[in-house]
Amino acid sequence: MPDWPIQKLKSLPPLSLYVHFPWCLKKCPYCDFNSHEIRAEENRVPEEEYVAALIRDLESALQDVWGRRLSSIFLGGGTPSLFSAQAMDQVLTAVRTLLPLEHFAEVTLEANPGTFEAQKFADFRQAGINRLSIGIQSFNPLHLQALGRVHDDQEAHRAVDIALKYFDNINLDLMYALPGQNLEQAQADIETACSHGVTHISAYHLTLEPNTLFYRFPPKLPDDEQAAAMQEMIEQTATSYQYRNYETSAFAQAGKESRHNMNYWLFGDYLGIGAGAHSKISFSDKIVRQMRYKHPKEYLAKAQTGDSLIQTQQELTVADRSFEFMMNALRLSGGFDASLFQERTGLPLVVVQQQLDEAEQRGLLVHDHLRIKPTVLGRRFLNDLLQIFLPEKAPSNNALKLQP
């Protein structure tokens, strides 16, 4: 790729906040996120110490985002719902004190069915959380067992019932192409999710990620043809229930798209605090990525001694900017405004003109001077489409936990 000059950004993109809570009741065998099982001898999360560390983390990050408004907050993990509503209230109060929020900002809490208590979730709502994302994964007890989940199908249904009592904006997180799963079972899962009438559903293809138990000891999974049939069935079923497939794995009722994830897809900025959290922050003359110290003990130790919580920081190159923009924005079914590329990257669209032309010739996307969007074929073979934009040397740090 030629060494194109980077122009200063005329305006900064929207800013989101991601807060990472790294503990779980049990580490799932497919999970490669920064999550850590609560030790039996401890039998608790270090709530007070961790909340103090998060607030210190946010205070130290203010110099990079001073005066910018937050469009969304995502409390993710791990299992954030292991923490008390009082802890979440402390964190959100600190956020509101230090940074202005947009009116009606989306505030999402990630929760797992094994941690649901009615009063606790009423208190979460009172603390200012206005959206829940529930890690159901499946409503089938055998598949939940195969995935190593701590909840069963009855707890999954109960969690949704409790959530619907206190929240009117709810995402259900599902997975498909599970060990031993057939098309009819995958259909039962998506139909059950849709029938609950929640505002948003995420449906992810189970993949075997390095550094997971499933990667070391692979279970027997549906083949590619079966998985593709499941994906197509999920899209058709969700559409029949009036959900719009606005992003590769996301389905929403009208106007209920995840604002937090939309900011990711459109190359917006996000500040990540907490153990192992990633940030992408734009300045007029540069875009930087940061990662906090990953292990909770090291993160807490750094916070208590007053040391910097940032383990790595790098400035995005021309190749990083163009690829990462396309890698995210081409996940959107409706594509993106062509002018947004230069607005968010500081680069003219001609930087990727050759790749755009190749992708269009292969029938993977359509583009003009107004809009760029993947075709049906491009959405089905998204990895092939993104491969076209991959630079000779891929970005060294584009890790991002996609939030449901």
Side-chain angles (χ1 to χ4, degrees), residues 16 18 38 56 106 119 162-163 210 249 251 259 274 284 328 361 367-369 404:
S16 295
Y18 175 75
I38 298 175
R56 186 193 172 281
E106 178 188 271
Q119 185 57 51
I162 292 174
S249 304
F251 305 82
R259 288 165 60 186
S284 63
N328 286 298
Q361 288 166 7
H367 73 94
D368 55 29
H369 65 288

Side-chain angles (χ1 to χ4, degrees), residues 6-155:
I6 297 175
Q7 301 175 8
K8 286 190 174 183
L9 299 181
K10 294 180 179 178
S11 62
L12 299 180
L15 176 68
S16 295
L17 174 68
Y18 175 75
V19 187
H20 191 68
F21 296 83
W23 289 278
C24 285
L25 290 173
K26 180 183 176 184
K27 181 77 172 181
C28 295
Y30 57 84
C31 178
D32 70 336
F33 297 143
N34 183 32
S35 60
H36 301 262
E37 195 168 310
I38 298 175
R39 294 184 181 275
E41 63 271 19
E42 296 172 352
N43 197 31
R44 71 172 192 95
V45 294
E47 181 169 288
E48 186 177 336
E49 303 95 312
Y50 195 69
V51 168
L54 288 174
I55 294 172
R56 186 193 172 281
D57 196 348
L58 182 60
E59 288 172 340
S60 65
L62 286 180
Q63 60 184 351
D64 291 336
V65 295
W66 184 253
R68 295 179 63 180
R69 287 185 175 274
L70 293 176
S71 60
S72 64
I73 300 172
F74 196 99
L75 307 162
T79 306
S81 51
L82 287 172
F83 282 67
S84 69
Q86 291 74 21
M88 294 302 172
D89 187 44
Q90 277 185 272
V91 172
L92 293 175
T93 297
V95 172
R96 287 189 289 262
T97 302
L98 296 170
L99 285 170
L101 268 67
E102 289 184 4
H103 200 41
F104 298 119
E106 178 188 271
V107 184
T108 303
L109 173 75
E110 205 168 35
N112 284 327
T115 64
F116 265 74
E117 301 162 18
Q119 185 57 51
K120 186 176 185 180
F121 281 80
D123 293 341
F124 281 145
R125 186 71 183 88
Q126 191 67 33
I129 293 160
N130 54 33
R131 183 176 182 267
L132 274 190
S133 180
I134 309 174
I136 298 291
Q137 313 314 351
S138 176
F139 289 98
N140 185 307
L142 294 178
H143 295 145
L144 288 171
Q145 189 174 17
L147 289 173
R149 302 296 287 175
V150 298
H151 67 274
D152 59 23
D153 55 321
Q154 292 183 354
E155 288 175 306

Side-chain angles (χ1 to χ4, degrees), residues 137-138 140 143 174-191 201-206 220-239 245 248-249 251 380:
Q137 313 314 351
S138 176
N140 185 307
H143 295 145
L174 296 179
M175 302 178 78
Y176 66 94
L178 306 179
Q181 188 180 46
N182 60 37
L183 185 64
E184 291 73 22
Q185 291 168 329
Q187 185 164 2
D189 271 349
I190 187 64
E191 286 187 344
I201 296 170
S202 300
Y204 298 106
H205 185 303
L206 174 63
K220 182 172 176 55
L221 301 177
D223 60 29
D224 290 346
E225 187 175 335
Q226 291 171 313
M230 290 180 188
Q231 181 183 355
E232 187 174 351
M233 176 276 300
I234 288 169
E235 292 169 359
Q236 291 173 351
T237 302
T239 299
N245 186 197
T248 301
S249 304
F251 305 82
R380 186 67 71 223

Side-chain angles (χ1 to χ4, degrees), residues 16-18 72-74 106 108 257-265 270 403:
S16 295
L17 174 68
Y18 175 75
S72 64
I73 300 172
F74 196 99
E106 178 188 271
T108 303
E257 296 81 5
S258 167
R259 288 165 60 186
H260 190 84
N261 273 7
M262 284 297 293
N263 195 39
Y264 285 157
W265 307 140
Y270 49 93
Q403 309 309 337

